[in-house]
Amino acid sequence: MTWDEIVDKHKDHFSNCYCGYSCGPGWLPLINGLSTSIEMLGIKGFEYHQIKEKFGTLRVYYNFDIGYKDSDVEDLDPEDLKNNEIKILGYIDGAIQLAERMSAVTCERCGVIGKIRQSGWVKCLCNTCNEL
């Protein structure tokens, strides 16, 4: 899977990714899985702000607007609305944390099992990619 395919498949998540997205092809399945998970939960109003590699692991920054209209919530208890938003943010944050943690043991170049290595730059690489 390529970046173009992921962006095309999950258009709504990338519609306002103004700081960009950049990481190696080995992590693209993690990003695709993250986006698919968020879609499967039926979460609307989620957009990536930035996706990148930093210190050898994936970093995901996002915006989330639950998008309630006044007419949608006029009869609802404000405490219920707040709790619902907290629950949704918990799902999003949990999915992102899983992808970020998986990146620490996934080669950024090829996607097989890797480990954090430091030789100038900090990267998560498998033994083969580390030799390149």
Side-chain angles (χ1 to χ4, degrees):
M1 183 162 261
T2 67
W3 270 113
D4 288 341
E5 291 170 326
I6 290 173
V7 171
D8 188 52
K9 183 178 178 183
H10 307 285
K11 287 182 183 86
D12 291 343
H13 295 174
F14 287 90
S15 64
N16 205 12
C17 191
Y18 48 86
C19 286
Y21 42 91
S22 175
C23 71
W27 289 351
L28 295 181
L30 298 176
I31 295 162
N32 183 55
L34 170 61
S35 293
T36 300
S37 296
I38 291 168
E39 287 172 357
M40 288 175 62
L41 289 169
I43 296 172
K44 304 290 184 206
F46 173 87
E47 295 177 327
Y48 291 113
H49 171 73
Q50 183 179 33
I51 301 172
K52 66 180 183 177
E53 176 276 330
K54 185 172 183 179
F55 300 121
T57 61
L58 186 66
R59 296 291 196 274
V60 177
Y61 304 96
Y62 68 94
N63 295 316
F64 173 68
D65 179 7
I66 201 159
Y68 288 134
K69 298 176 192 144
D70 288 342
S71 60
D72 293 339
V73 298
E74 60 189 22
D75 296 330
L76 299 176
D77 179 1
E79 194 65 28
D80 288 342
L81 294 174
K82 179 181 169 192
N83 290 337
N84 188 43
E85 189 165 352
I86 289 169
K87 186 189 309 184
I88 292 170
L89 288 170
Y91 291 140
I92 293 170
D93 289 342
I96 289 172
Q97 286 176 12
L98 177 60
E100 289 176 343
R101 288 181 180 166
M102 290 295 298
S103 73
V105 294
T106 303
C107 178
E108 185 181 357
R109 290 187 185 152
C110 70
V112 302
I113 295 173
K115 68 179 185 177
I116 302 289
R117 302 169 191 266
Q118 187 170 359
S119 59
W121 292 104
V122 180
K123 290 283 193 187
C124 185
L125 300 171
C126 66
N127 291 335
T128 303
C129 291
N130 190 51
E131 298 292 321
L132 300 176

